[in-house]
Amino acid sequence: MEARRIELKMALLESLRGILSDSQHTRQQGEEHLNVIEMTPEFGIHLTDIIIDQNNFLAIRQLAAVVLKQYVQTHWSSTSDKYVVPETPEWAKRTVRELLPNTLGDQSSLIRSSVAYAISEIARWDWPESWPQLFEVLMGFIISSTQNFVHGAMKVLTELSDNMTDNQLPQLIPIMFPELIRIFKDEKSFSSNIRGRTTQILNSCVTLIYAMSDLEKTAPDVLLFPYVPEFLSAFSVSLLQPDGPHSDFLLKTNVVKTLICFTESFPVEMAPHLGSVISVVWDLFRRIEESTDSDGEKYNIQNLVCHLFEFFSALFQHKIYKSIVSRMVDDLIYHLIKYMLITEEQADIWVTYPGRFIEDEVDDTITSSVRILAVNLLDTIAHLNKSKILESVSKAVRKHFDEVEAIKSSPFWWKVHESCLLVLGSLNADVTIRIVQQYIGNDYLLNYIIQTDVQSSVSPFLSGRALWLLSKLAFGIEDSTFLNLIKTCTEALSQRQNIIIRIYGAKALYQLGQCMSNSSKHQLMLPYLPDAISGLMFLALDYNKDTEILGLAIDSLNFVLQINRSATESVHRKLIPILVEFYSTYNQNPYLEAIAQDSFRIMSKFPNCFQALEAFLFPTLINLISANGGCTFATAGTALDIMEDLIRSSPIPMSDTLINLGFPTIALTITDTDDVSIIQSGSDCLRAFISRSPDQVLKWVDTDGNDGFSYAINCILKQLDPQLEQYSATRVGKLIIVLFRKAEILAQQHLGTILRGVLTKMQQVTEGNVMQALVMIFAYMIHYHFQSAYNFLVSVPSPTGTSAMEYVFSEWYKQQDYISGCYNIKSSILAFCKILLYYSNTNDPYISSISLIEEVIQEGSGRRTRSKTSSAFRQKVAVPVVHKMFKAIIYEFSNELEHTGSQEKIPTDISDNSDRTDDEEDGSESLMYYCEKQFIGSSNFEDSDDEENADDMEDFLYSVNLLDQLLNFFQEFRQKSCYDSFISCLNNDECKALTKIHQLLQSY
């Protein structure tokens, strides 16, 4: 047995040597032999022996430790995701656990680290159940104060801390925390690396204690707060020390991370302790900023600076620190501007790779620079300290402007100006204007600083930034200054200019599009539009391989194209082929694809552009949409969306190309795919064809004699296919309604088939928005084809075996509270009115037999208290569906009164779960929408209402006054003999609402 053990160990050593060989053949042989030996039960023990034996070469020992960790991952536990048979026997595990910890004190830090990782991997499966003594062994090493053992044990403890449980902490913390404090304080005995690990362990414990505090309120008081003063005292000493062997930047970063963890986990409890620490952190913040020269960072401290920003951000987000941080806002913003200075390294990279400049200016990149993080912190301060931000930013900017006058001889003075302009431009436009007007002085900034910096030749970054800021202030400046701005923007786009200037010219034009809606300003732009369009076109062409510059150029161009119809139409023959080529090249890039889609939507609004769009864009779209295009589903979906815009903008009658090629291609694409996104976009596209030119579509016939109507029916049935996922039916409702509206006689012949498909699809649906799309089909049929819909609902069985009417009405009522959109709300609630009037006139047995089950609270008489409510008996009762419809009508009436401003909203039982926000209601236009209308009005073309509502607007229901219609309903319905029975079903709030309705009817 012993001979076999020695033989296996020697074979293992030989395999490890082979793996380290320079020869590929030898390495391969070594790996193959290792895989064979790995299957033996003693494999882990032999690896441990090799690691422990200091007579072996260091590389062999280190490799053995790495292999041991991998072995533990694959063979130690059968529950591991990486498990491979056989599992290590328990006797072998026990031997490894006994031998391995002593190697944590090895002379080599490489061995200590590798062994620590192996032990941590074993502990993941065995601690504490099968290895309860591990923590005691580690703490013994730490208490020994032997440098190597402490280093190794701390590495293991760092890994273990992430896997500690709330049951273990109460036993571990009283032993562990005092030792962590001792190690952190002992800078002479322990390196910054070891001391930094104490903060990592502490962070893991604080996070777990915070999680525990939800259920165990006293956990922080017992486990954490008694140790906080001593930890913070030690942290303050470390942060005050200059960078060196006892306190380097990495250690300081770990300390700041812990302070952030304290602040975010226990902001209130930490407030009494953090006062003095905050002043220490502030001192560190200023020292680091002072340690950098004007050329950029002298030390690699970006990580520390980023966490300092995060710490200050955490303070600003908690009101309890308001009194502290409010005193430091002025100085903080002043110093943040210094952190925003462009470094020489950044400037060189941006000039060499200008697309990187655009990317780095965005604050959502994966690795943001200190400059952008400083801007983000400023934004946080501005958001949380609105009352103070005006004065603080103004003081900081004015102070920097004044100070820079004294260093104009320095070649880097311009960086300060650029940072100040960046700060002003990064704030909300309204805040920026108020700062300029109230504090800095409008004339001072515009005439002295911005205008001077725009003309400066010292750096393209300065002149470009000034131009960018001036564009943000455009709607508040005089016409003469605005003319100079537009002229400068167009000149900046010239091919003769530095690429940075050209980028800023495009940014400035884009900024104008974001913030300006004054029609008089647009008129001032007219003479410069040709040059602006040309400059942006050439920027796109010159950098057509750089997606960042290309995207910026086309995005800015989209704004310019909307300003004046004549200017756009004058260049459309040159521009459209460029845009089509751009789209063809980058349709796989979602960002650029969306920009191209905006371009085509804008161009399609101009009648004189349509012929060129059809000639150049249409073939590309057909190629992408058709099965032979070889494009992705997402690309085909976008191509269909663009095609819809093209169809809706087409002159009538449509061209033969659109009808003979476009219509059948889209219809066949829908029927030949199972991809939901293509089906949805294709449905909208098909609806646009039928809506815009129904006669042409219905008269079209393919070579086999199938007409356009049969194609449309096939597409509808495809969307209702129960074999497809439910979202295939999201857009089918609008298509069906348009088909009935435009081809009523033909559509009625297929009503039964369509409604059966809708009913079948409803059984599959679980998502509310899909169910709403389907029930709106029945709402439409109730309005316009009542008898046919009624006959269908009472004659076709539902999934439960009763009539379809019961199933449809039940699902319809469930969705009523969530239906959104002006047209849908009117259509649904007025359909309820029509059903109730029909019921009251006929006492229809089918409708009267339908009830909905709901849960009600049955409670005794007397005053209602919380205890009574909590103990009330809940009972399920059947409520006639007509009563529920009546309640829904009352709710909608009260909701309508709220929107008209006549009454306060009256609560009813149907509104308990209402989350609907009716953006589409009359008079609810947002400021942005108002600005868009003003902007479009100043352009020489009209932008139609949202195309999603274009078809709905053709229905008379869209324009009816819902309040009047509901009053008419109540006026008629209260004359019916059944009215009293409906009143008896109302609760107190609904009765009050009905009383107010009756009062309105008296004056109606």
Side-chain angles (χ1 to χ4, degrees):
M1 179 68 73
E2 181 65 20
R4 178 180 177 277
R5 189 183 68 81
I6 295 175
E7 182 181 349
L8 279 175
K9 182 176 178 180
M10 296 305 297
L12 177 57
L13 270 171
E14 192 63 30
S15 297
L16 295 174
R17 293 191 187 100
I19 293 173
L20 294 174
S21 172
D22 293 335
S23 169
Q24 181 178 356
H25 177 70
T26 305
R27 286 199 307 273
Q28 187 174 352
Q29 278 190 330
E31 291 171 358
E32 292 173 355
H33 292 162
L34 188 68
N35 291 335
V36 174
I37 302 172
E38 186 179 344
M39 298 297 106
T40 62
E42 304 96 336
F43 184 70
I45 298 175
H46 295 324
L47 286 172
T48 304
D49 288 340
I50 293 172
I51 296 167
I52 293 173
D53 190 352
Q54 298 194 11
N55 293 320
N56 291 319
F57 289 115
L58 178 62
I60 293 290
R61 297 174 65 205
Q62 186 180 8
L63 177 59
V66 172
V67 173
L68 177 60
K69 178 186 175 182
Q70 295 172 345
Y71 173 75
V72 172
Q73 291 174 335
T74 54
H75 294 283
W76 207 262
S77 173
S78 59
T79 61
S80 171
D81 294 338
K82 300 179 180 180
Y83 176 70
V84 177
V85 293
E87 183 175 355
T88 308
E90 184 56 39
W91 60 266
K93 293 180 182 179
R94 187 166 53 251
T95 302
V96 172
R97 292 195 297 259
E98 290 172 357
L99 296 175
L100 199 58
N102 288 325
T103 317
L104 288 173
D106 197 271
Q107 294 296 319
S108 170
S109 63
L110 295 176
I111 297 299
R112 294 197 300 271
S113 296
S114 299
V115 169
Y117 289 127
I119 290 176
S120 300
E121 192 63 35
I122 295 172
R124 178 185 175 192
W125 305 109
D126 292 0
W127 181 75
E129 289 81 5
S130 300
W131 202 359
Q133 67 273 27
L134 174 61
F135 182 76
E136 183 180 346
V137 170
L138 295 175
M139 293 308 302
F141 290 157
I142 291 173
I143 294 171
S144 73
S145 294
T146 304
Q147 181 80 227
N148 290 343
F149 273 111
V150 173
H151 175 254
M154 288 292 288
K155 288 183 77 70
V156 177
L157 203 56
T158 303
E159 298 296 322
L160 288 184
S161 63
D162 288 332
N163 297 314
M164 290 180 182
T165 67
D166 52 356
N167 293 326
Q168 296 167 341
L169 276 190
Q171 287 76 42
L172 303 183
I173 281 181
I175 302 171
M176 185 169 56
F177 274 13
E179 289 303 315
L180 295 182
I181 294 172
R182 180 182 67 83
I183 291 173
F184 189 89
K185 285 183 173 181
D186 193 352
E187 61 185 40
K188 294 181 179 179
S189 302
F190 302 107
S191 67
S192 293
N193 184 23
I194 293 177
R195 294 167 64 213
R197 289 193 176 275
T198 65
T199 64
Q200 297 175 36
I201 297 169
L202 177 59
N203 288 350
S204 297
C205 293
V206 170
T207 301
L208 181 54
I209 292 170
Y210 173 71
M212 292 170 59
S213 65
D214 285 340
L215 297 176
E216 300 180 40
K217 303 297 183 183
T218 60
D221 297 319
V222 175
L223 300 178
L224 178 61
F225 297 154
Y227 303 97
V228 165
E230 200 165 0
F231 270 122
L232 293 181
S233 175
F235 291 163
S236 296
V237 172
S238 175
L239 294 177
L240 285 170
Q241 289 180 325
D243 183 51
H246 298 309
S247 182
D248 57 18
F249 284 124
L250 180 58
L251 178 62
K252 289 183 171 68
T253 300
N254 284 325
V255 169
V256 174
K257 285 182 181 179
T258 303
L259 295 177
I260 294 169
C261 187
F262 278 161
T263 305
E264 293 183 339
S265 300
F266 303 101
V268 176
E269 295 82 356
M270 290 297 157
H273 304 287
L274 283 178
S276 58
V277 179
I278 291 173
S279 62
V280 173
V281 174
W282 175 250
D283 181 68
L284 172 64
F285 178 76
R286 298 186 62 174
R287 291 205 320 269
I288 295 175
E289 178 260 311
E290 292 168 359
S291 70
T292 62
D293 61 19
S294 57
D295 289 335
E297 298 173 352
K298 184 180 290 184
Y299 303 103
N300 185 20
I301 58 172
Q302 177 167 330
N303 197 34
L304 174 56
V305 172
C306 294
H307 284 92
L308 286 171
F309 289 167
E310 187 178 349
F311 176 68
F312 289 129
S313 179
L315 294 178
F316 277 101
Q317 293 181 54
H318 295 288
K319 291 183 179 180
I320 196 167
Y321 299 106
K322 185 175 181 179
S323 60
I324 298 176
V325 298
S326 61
R327 296 194 296 269
M328 59 193 293
V329 171
D330 292 354
D331 284 341
L332 179 58
I333 293 176
Y334 172 81
H335 289 284
L336 282 178
I337 293 175
K338 291 187 177 183
Y339 279 105
M340 294 179 197
L341 297 177
I342 297 176
T343 68
E344 286 300 292
E345 180 183 6
Q346 284 175 323
D348 291 342
I349 291 174
W350 291 343
V351 170
T352 306
Y353 306 102
R356 175 78 178 273
F357 168 61
I358 299 173
E359 183 181 356
D360 287 350
E361 287 278 289
V362 180
D363 62 4
D364 59 357
T365 52
I366 296 176
T367 55
S368 297
S369 64
V370 168
R371 171 182 168 93
I372 292 300
L373 291 173
V375 173
N376 291 345
L377 177 54
L378 175 67
D379 183 67
T380 299
I381 297 171
H383 179 70
L384 299 172
N385 294 266
K386 296 178 181 179
S387 60
K388 191 165 177 62
I389 192 66
L390 292 173
E391 184 179 356
S392 298
V393 171
S394 304
K395 285 181 179 179
V397 169
R398 192 64 185 256
K399 184 177 181 180
H400 276 295
F401 280 156
D402 292 341
E403 289 176 350
V404 83
E405 292 299 317
I407 60 167
K408 275 292 184 75
S409 58
S410 167
F412 306 111
W413 67 267
W414 63 268
K415 295 184 178 182
V416 179
H417 267 218
E418 194 275 341
S419 292
C420 290
L421 301 182
L422 173 63
V423 167
L424 292 172
S426 299
L427 297 170
N428 179 277
D430 179 61
V431 174
T432 300
I433 292 172
R434 291 170 64 188
I435 289 174
V436 171
Q437 293 176 343
Q438 298 180 22
Y439 294 93
I440 299 178
N442 199 49
D443 293 340
Y444 175 80
L445 186 68
L446 292 179
N447 299 332
Y448 178 67
I449 299 297
I450 295 184
Q451 294 287 20
T452 301
D453 289 345
V454 165
Q455 303 301 325
S456 174
S457 59
V458 65
S459 169
F461 294 105
L462 174 62
S463 53
R465 181 65 67 189
L467 179 63
W468 171 79
L469 177 58
L470 190 58
S471 69
K472 189 166 186 176
L473 303 173
F475 59 90
I477 62 180
E478 297 178 355
D479 287 353
S480 58
T481 306
F482 182 80
L483 284 170
N484 288 331
L485 167 63
I486 296 302
K487 180 182 178 182
T488 306
C489 284
T490 55
E491 291 175 348
L493 291 169
S494 170
Q495 288 180 290
R496 300 188 303 273
Q497 294 282 9
N498 181 290
I499 180 55
I500 300 299
I501 296 293
R502 296 176 72 184
I503 288 173
Y504 270 119
K507 279 176 168 281
L509 285 174
Y510 181 81
Q511 184 66 49
L512 286 173
Q514 297 296 305
C515 67
M516 193 177 66
S517 61
N518 190 305
S519 59
S520 64
K521 299 293 187 188
H522 286 154
Q523 295 300 316
L524 295 174
M525 295 178 68
L526 296 183
Y528 300 96
L529 290 182
D531 289 340
I533 294 173
S534 177
L536 291 169
M537 285 173 54
F538 281 115
L539 179 62
L541 290 171
D542 292 344
Y543 290 88
N544 59 12
K545 302 299 183 184
D546 191 312
T547 57
E548 296 293 340
I549 298 177
L550 186 58
L552 173 65
I554 303 298
D555 216 7
S556 301
L557 183 63
N558 287 343
F559 157 68
V560 177
L561 293 177
Q562 297 178 75
I563 296 174
N564 182 263
R565 170 177 172 175
S566 298
T568 300
E569 289 182 342
S570 67
V571 298
H572 79 279
R573 293 191 179 279
K574 293 181 180 178
L575 182 58
I576 288 176
I578 295 174
L579 293 175
V580 172
E581 179 63 27
F582 162 62
Y583 173 60
S584 300
T585 304
Y586 292 104
N587 57 60
Q588 301 290 330
N589 183 314
Y591 166 65
L592 296 180
E593 183 185 50
I595 293 175
Q597 185 176 357
D598 289 340
S599 301
F600 297 133
R601 181 178 294 117
I602 293 165
M603 299 289 287
S604 67
K605 303 300 180 185
F606 301 108
N608 290 339
C609 297
F610 187 83
Q611 187 176 359
L613 282 172
E614 184 177 357
F616 292 99
L617 177 60
F618 183 77
T620 300
L621 296 177
I622 290 296
N623 182 54
L624 292 173
I625 293 169
S626 65
N628 296 328
C631 61
T632 64
F633 289 144
T635 300
T638 304
L640 284 164
D641 293 337
I642 297 173
M643 180 70 84
E644 182 190 357
D645 291 329
L646 202 62
I647 295 164
R648 290 196 177 274
S649 301
S650 169
I652 302 300
M654 292 184 182
S655 68
D656 291 342
T657 304
L658 277 179
I659 293 295
N660 295 332
L661 180 58
F663 172 74
T665 298
I666 291 165
L668 291 173
T669 298
I670 295 172
T671 56
D672 291 346
T673 185
D674 290 340
D675 182 79
V676 169
S677 64
I678 293 180
I679 290 174
Q680 291 176 351
S681 297
S683 180
D684 289 342
C685 212
L686 194 66
R687 175 163 54 92
F689 266 115
I690 298 171
S691 175
R692 291 280 293 143
S693 189
D695 291 341
Q696 286 181 278
V697 170
L698 298 178
K699 291 178 181 178
W700 175 85
V701 179
D702 67 12
T703 55
D704 296 327
N706 301 307
D707 59 19
F709 185 83
S710 64
Y711 272 58
I713 292 294
N714 288 337
C715 290
I716 288 172
L717 297 179
K718 174 71 175 186
Q719 294 174 73
L720 296 174
D721 185 352
Q723 299 301 315
L724 297 179
E725 60 176 291
Q726 59 179 316
Y727 297 104
S728 66
T730 303
R731 311 286 178 83
V732 72
K734 288 182 177 292
L735 176 59
I736 292 172
I737 291 171
V738 166
L739 185 64
F740 271 82
R741 190 178 293 148
K742 298 293 184 177
E744 182 176 5
I745 297 176
L746 285 174
Q748 275 190 299
Q749 299 173 16
H750 296 266
L751 186 142
T753 302
I754 292 173
L755 292 186
R756 281 188 180 86
V758 173
L759 187 64
T760 303
K761 192 69 176 180
M762 288 175 68
Q763 301 172 42
Q764 176 197 5
V765 172
T766 58
E767 290 295 326
N769 62 327
V770 183
M771 185 63 79
Q772 289 170 33
L774 297 177
V775 299
M776 290 312 300
I777 298 170
F778 286 100
Y780 177 86
M781 297 304 168
I782 292 295
H783 283 293
Y784 297 103
H785 305 280
F786 183 90
Q787 198 59 51
S788 297
Y790 174 86
N791 292 339
F792 172 84
L793 290 173
V794 299
S795 61
V796 175
S798 74
T800 59
T802 59
S803 70
M805 179 179 286
E806 179 176 347
Y807 176 74
V808 171
F809 281 7
S810 174
E811 294 299 326
W812 187 350
Y813 179 78
K814 290 176 185 177
Q815 297 302 321
Q816 174 60 34
D817 206 23
Y818 303 98
I819 291 174
S820 61
C822 173
Y823 174 78
N824 289 340
I825 292 171
K826 292 177 180 179
S827 178
S828 180
I829 205 67
L830 292 178
F832 278 1
C833 293
K834 192 165 185 177
I835 292 169
L836 290 190
L837 288 173
Y838 175 81
Y839 167 76
S840 66
N841 290 330
T842 64
N843 195 26
D844 183 83
Y846 293 104
I847 297 177
S848 62
S849 67
I850 300 173
S851 296
L852 303 180
I853 304 299
E854 68 174 19
E855 204 174 58
V856 297
I857 298 176
Q858 302 290 336
E859 51 187 328
S861 60
R863 183 171 175 268
R864 181 173 178 175
T865 64
R866 290 185 180 180
S867 61
K868 282 187 177 183
T869 301
S870 61
S871 62
F873 176 67
R874 294 182 178 272
Q875 183 179 10
K876 291 183 178 181
V877 298
V879 181
V881 71
V882 288
H883 288 177
K884 301 299 289 183
M885 289 181 177
F886 188 61
K887 288 170 175 280
I889 294 169
I890 292 176
Y891 167 72
E892 200 58 53
F893 188 90
S894 68
N895 192 47
E896 194 67 15
L897 282 177
E898 179 193 23
H899 282 291
T900 60
S902 302
Q903 299 282 345
E904 291 185 2
K905 184 177 179 180
I906 304 167
T908 68
D909 68 343
I910 194 174
S911 64
D912 290 344
N913 297 316
S914 176
D915 294 321
R916 186 176 73 216
T917 56
D918 301 322
D919 322 296
E920 302 88 344
E921 290 292 340
D922 297 339
S924 64
E925 293 170 343
S926 65
L927 176 61
M928 181 59 70
Y929 180 60
Y930 171 77
C931 292
E932 289 173 356
K933 286 182 67 179
Q934 292 294 102
F935 167 69
I936 295 300
S938 68
S939 310
N940 294 322
F941 68 99
E942 292 185 0
D943 188 15
S944 64
D945 291 298
D946 186 1
E947 298 297 355
E948 282 297 312
N949 294 326
D951 296 322
D952 295 339
M953 292 170 65
E954 294 186 12
D955 195 318
F956 89 96
L957 290 175
Y958 187 89
S959 57
V960 300
N961 185 302
L962 183 56
L963 199 61
D964 288 344
Q965 293 293 319
L966 293 178
L967 283 171
N968 289 336
F969 162 75
F970 283 113
Q971 184 78 290
E972 182 178 357
F973 192 58
R974 71 173 179 169
Q975 307 299 325
K976 305 299 181 181
S977 59
C978 62
Y979 188 63
D980 290 342
S981 67
F982 279 80
I983 295 177
S984 65
C985 78
L986 302 180
N987 61 30
N988 290 335
D989 290 327
E990 291 160 348
C991 286
K992 292 178 182 178
L994 190 61
T995 300
K996 292 185 178 182
I997 292 171
H998 288 167
Q999 292 171 355
L1000 286 173
L1001 287 174
Q1002 292 176 0
S1003 59
Y1004 184 60

